[in-house]
Amino acid sequence: MTRVEPAATAVKHPLEPLTAAEITAAVDVLRAERGLTASTRFVSIALREPAKEAIRDGEGAAVDREAFVIALNLDDGLTYEGAVSLTDRAVRSWEAVPGVQAQVTMDEFFACEEIVKNDPGYREALAARGITDTDTLMVDPWSAGNYGDEVEGRLLRALSWVRLDGPDDNGYAHPVENLIAYVDLHARRVAKIEDHGVVPVPRAPGNYTPDAAAPLRHDLRPLEITQPEGTSITVDGHEVGWQKWRLRVGFTPREGLVLHTVSYQDRSVLHRASLAEMVVPYGDPAPTHSRKNAFDAGEYNIGALANSLELGCDCLGEIHYFDAVLADCDGEPVTLRNAVCLHEEDYGLLWKHFDFRTEKAETRRSRRLVISFVATVGNYEYGFYWYLYQDGTIQCEVKLTGIMSTGAVAPGQRPSHGQLLTSEGLYAPIHQHFLNFRLDFDVDGPHNSVQEVHTEADPPGPGNPLGNAFRSRATVLARESQAQQVIDPLSARTWKVINPSVRNAVGEPVGYRLVPGANVLPFAAGDASVSRRAAFATKHLWVTPYRQAERHPAGDYPNQHAGGAGLPEWTRADRPIEDTDVVVWYTLGSHHSPRLEDWPVMPVQYAGFTLAPDGFFDHSPALDVPPPSGDGHCTP
Ligand code: NI
């Protein structure tokens, strides 16, 4: 094949996300070579990241630029995936993937709503509930899951709410309980309606706009963040520098924000870190809610649902925004403005000591780099925040907000598996949010091991005459089966990723410690459908040897999948994970037993974990942070 001028690939680094021109080129090449028609609907088009070695070999190396494409063919109903070389303008692969359902697209969100609103049977069931104006209906496209009793097709399980008071009314205050429509997106019809009986639609408003919340408190004075000399951040394309940190910002439709090649003083820490999957299982056995368990990454492409962030609202101060370039269903590039927010924040105290004899104090203020995005998945918002600190710490924080998915019981009744929100019967079912983060560590290089570290008390005896003794114990996790672990706060359990070949000043391997925060396990039964499909959530820690293809802990296509794919499948081989290129998968569970205070829009609930250097440095790396400005010291 003749090499064509690589016009569309004038990018600086192999990890730069696809440009709009590259998305267009990928679609043009696919259409031309494979004769695709308008029946091919594009689900996602993203950079096919080059092999790790190619990235490590550095910039400027000749790396083939490739687009990874997932599409739906409306004619044969099949999911297709393939790769297009943008360097050679050639299709590298294009194949149907039998037996899977691709992620739900934004087009399908809207199509589902229209199909349901126009279905005579559904309208009849609505009329029985006193709803005759379907324009007021909000139809949420819940994924159908896999229970073995579904009708055939590319399914969504549609649930409805009503806007009783105009187009801006919060419809989640008015759930249509017990009415479920299975929509077949390929046949474009309602395949099945379940009506489990009329429950009156709660009518009390649940609005949250300023006019609804009035009178607003009036005692807030301006708080302004100013950086008159600009920020301490450098940005070149998607490469970010901040003090001793270097990283690259990436963004995929499926994961949203991705951190690549995170290093401190040119020492690598993480090769790649991202949200890899999530699932939100509901604990309510009532028919409307018992199958609610959305996989927001693998079923809905949470990155494609990212918000365009606004200065002064989502982000405060001197902000650098990254746009995300995605593809719509026609394969047209779509630029999502301000999808990722990058800024720095004052974070209070970094360290301090006051010498009471000399009365001299040394105080340093902490500053952190914040890289974030926010996605709206139907009723809920998820904010994903990565923080880098001056002491080498990396923190991941998820901010859960938005509106709870609601249901209704008859007035005067109480729900058995949720919190009553109004006296009319509006309630929020109990549920959990499980987020799995894929952390491809490269602690001072790719060859790492993982230790379980906990603290234990010494038994009483001659070596412990006062009974005060306790010590930290570390055990190397040799195989995948050993690395399937859960948190143990009472033994102060952490996990430590070490590089056995690189030693610190005291002769110990350098490492980074994974410190869990609050966490929880699923309450769903082991043989429940969601437990099979989201097996990743049954353990907080998994460790696998790096494989380029192993990216999605619930499998590549969890939508309508029976389960067992991803982590449970890969780790069945029980591969060795010692002194090799390891990938750590951390499951973060946020338990949500709803409160009245979560209604009508939920104040942020936080969940997260921390990666802290542990013998990575020979002493505090934050010593060289200068004293606060002014005359140099804070001592009066
Ligand atoms: Ni929740």
Side-chain angles (χ1 to χ4, degrees):
M1 174 170 295
T2 343
R3 200 170 174 91
V4 187
E5 192 61 32
T9 61
V11 293
K12 287 181 179 171
H13 189 277
L15 286 173
E16 282 289 307
L18 293 187
T19 63
E22 287 178 321
I23 287 173
T24 302
V27 172
D28 288 350
V29 169
L30 260 179
R31 288 217 169 102
E33 270 196 40
R34 298 298 154 121
L36 303 188
T37 67
S39 299
T40 294
R41 309 301 293 161
F42 292 91
V43 175
S44 61
I45 303 177
L47 175 70
R48 186 163 186 250
E49 289 168 26
K52 215 167 157 175
E53 306 76 52
I55 298 164
R56 235 183 263 129
D57 290 345
E59 305 180 24
V63 176
D64 195 21
R65 221 28 213 166
E66 290 186 16
F68 178 69
V69 181
I70 297 177
L72 272 172
N73 185 326
L74 299 185
D75 295 334
D76 60 19
L78 292 175
T79 296
Y80 284 74
E81 65 172 47
V84 179
S85 166
L86 299 159
T87 313
D88 293 341
R89 295 187 70 90
V91 176
R92 290 268 187 265
S93 64
W94 186 249
E95 277 171 15
V97 189
V100 305
Q101 290 296 344
Q103 294 78 16
V104 183
T105 66
M106 226 30 208
D107 274 20
E108 291 175 324
F109 275 44
F110 295 114
C112 174
E113 185 156 288
E114 283 312 303
I115 292 166
V116 169
K117 282 180 175 178
N118 291 316
D119 181 76
Y122 201 82
R123 283 168 170 258
E124 207 171 294
L126 286 172
R129 290 161 168 83
I131 304 158
T132 48
D133 178 7
T134 53
D135 286 346
T136 63
L137 212 62
M138 303 185 339
V139 182
D140 277 6
W142 283 81
S143 53
N146 184 305
Y147 296 85
D149 60 357
E150 288 85 17
V151 288
E152 290 284 304
R154 177 167 168 78
L155 296 179
L156 284 172
R157 188 170 173 275
L159 303 176
S160 292
W161 287 260
V162 201
R163 297 189 194 271
L164 288 182
D165 188 23
D168 294 325
D169 185 44
N170 175 12
Y172 294 111
H174 319 298
V176 179
E177 187 70 28
N178 280 349
L179 183 59
I180 302 148
Y182 282 89
V183 173
D184 182 347
L185 292 164
H186 275 315
R188 293 188 73 80
R189 66 183 182 93
V190 171
K192 183 182 159 195
I193 294 175
E194 287 178 21
D195 190 342
H196 297 273
V198 174
V199 175
V201 174
R203 304 195 66 85
N207 292 314
Y208 48 85
T209 48
D211 52 316
L216 301 178
R217 63 182 72 182
H218 52 77
D219 48 359
L220 273 173
R221 305 235 190 303
L223 190 159
E224 280 169 12
I225 313 283
T226 57
Q227 294 188 278
E229 297 174 30
T231 71
S232 314
I233 308 169
T234 59
V235 179
D236 179 12
H238 286 74
E239 186 180 13
V240 174
W242 184 68
Q243 300 175 66
K244 297 179 177 180
W245 289 104
R246 294 282 174 282
L247 72 141
R248 301 194 65 86
V249 170
F251 197 93
T252 73
R254 181 150 177 174
E255 306 155 284
L257 175 61
V258 179
L259 304 189
H260 296 284
T261 58
V262 182
S263 68
Y264 191 97
Q265 250 180 334
D266 296 326
R267 295 173 64 193
S268 62
V269 178
L270 287 164
H271 178 73
R272 192 182 192 282
S274 67
L275 170 79
E277 190 53 274
M278 53 180 292
V279 64
V280 188
Y282 281 68
D284 187 349
T288 316
H289 310 286
S290 58
R291 299 187 184 206
K292 280 182 174 173
N293 55 47
F295 290 63
D296 291 335
E299 290 182 333
Y300 291 102
N301 276 345
I302 195 166
L305 305 176
N307 295 175
S308 283
L309 300 173
E310 282 186 41
L311 185 63
C313 299
D314 300 294
C315 310
L316 205 56
E318 293 287 319
I319 308 295
H320 181 93
Y321 291 106
F322 295 95
D323 296 340
V325 182
L326 305 168
D328 68 13
C329 292
D330 298 317
E332 295 289 332
V334 177
T335 299
L336 188 60
R337 279 192 63 249
N338 298 355
V340 173
C341 170
L342 175 75
H343 71 291
E344 51 185 349
E345 286 178 352
D346 180 276
Y347 195 60
L349 199 58
L350 174 59
W351 58 263
K352 170 164 190 160
H353 183 60
F354 172 73
D355 186 323
F356 70 87
R357 293 185 177 84
T358 63
E359 297 196 344
K360 286 180 180 165
E362 291 287 343
T363 302
R364 301 293 182 271
R365 290 203 64 81
S366 176
R367 206 187 279 199
R368 64 183 185 182
L369 184 71
V370 189
I371 314 153
S372 64
F373 88 105
V374 181
T376 299
V377 190
N379 52 292
Y380 237 87
E381 265 73 17
Y382 295 94
F384 295 90
Y385 289 70
W386 291 92
Y387 303 112
L388 304 184
Y389 292 86
Q390 290 160 306
D391 67 352
T393 299
I394 301 169
Q395 183 193 354
C396 173
E397 184 174 74
V398 184
K399 301 186 185 184
L400 301 96
T401 179
I403 304 174
M404 295 183 292
S405 186
T406 52
V409 289
Q413 291 189 356
R414 283 183 186 276
S416 51
H417 297 76
Q419 174 62 50
L420 196 62
L421 298 173
T422 70
S423 56
E424 285 183 298
L426 180 73
Y427 80 101
I430 191 167
H431 60 275
Q432 301 181 293
H433 305 255
F434 291 99
L435 304 104
N436 185 273
F437 290 88
R438 181 180 179 278
L439 307 168
D440 181 353
F441 278 94
D442 273 13
V443 175
D444 258 340
H447 287 265
N448 291 168
S449 297
V450 182
Q451 298 175 328
E452 185 270 352
V453 184
H454 67 272
T455 295
E456 60 189 39
D458 284 13
N464 183 22
L466 301 184
N468 68 302
F470 56 91
R471 66 176 88 193
S472 182
R473 283 206 189 276
T475 310
V476 171
L477 306 173
R479 306 195 79 91
E480 288 177 310
S481 58
Q482 268 181 284
Q484 292 168 21
Q485 302 212 347
V486 298
I487 59 160
D488 185 3
L490 297 183
S491 79
R493 174 175 285 165
T494 59
W495 296 283
K496 186 173 168 184
V497 182
I498 59 166
N499 186 326
S501 328
V502 181
R503 304 275 158 165
N504 58 28
V506 296
E508 292 171 355
V510 297
Y512 253 78
R513 178 191 284 190
L514 195 173
V515 186
N519 209 335
V520 67
L521 282 172
F523 283 89
D527 60 352
S529 168
V530 68
S531 301
R532 287 197 306 275
R533 301 179 62 230
F536 70 86
T538 62
K539 303 288 177 191
H540 296 128
L541 185 86
W542 304 72
V543 182
T544 57
Y546 171 82
R547 298 287 183 272
Q548 193 173 6
E550 295 181 4
R551 288 271 297 272
H552 306 119
D556 290 345
Y557 295 98
N559 193 11
Q560 292 180 251
H561 195 275
L567 279 171
E569 187 179 350
W570 308 325
T571 57
R572 208 173 299 135
D574 201 16
R575 297 168 291 189
I577 49 170
E578 218 176 328
D579 200 8
T580 187
D581 189 359
V582 296
V583 175
V584 172
W585 310 75
Y586 182 67
T587 304
L588 170 62
S590 176
H591 194 74
H592 196 174
S593 181
R595 306 173 299 160
L596 287 170
E597 290 83 353
D598 293 337
W599 182 256
V601 62
M602 183 179 139
V604 165
Q605 181 169 321
Y606 299 88
F609 61 92
T610 299
L611 309 176
D614 183 352
F616 188 77
F617 302 104
D618 290 335
H619 55 73
S620 166
L623 270 190
D624 65 350
V625 173
S629 56
D631 54 3
H633 287 76
C634 296
T635 312

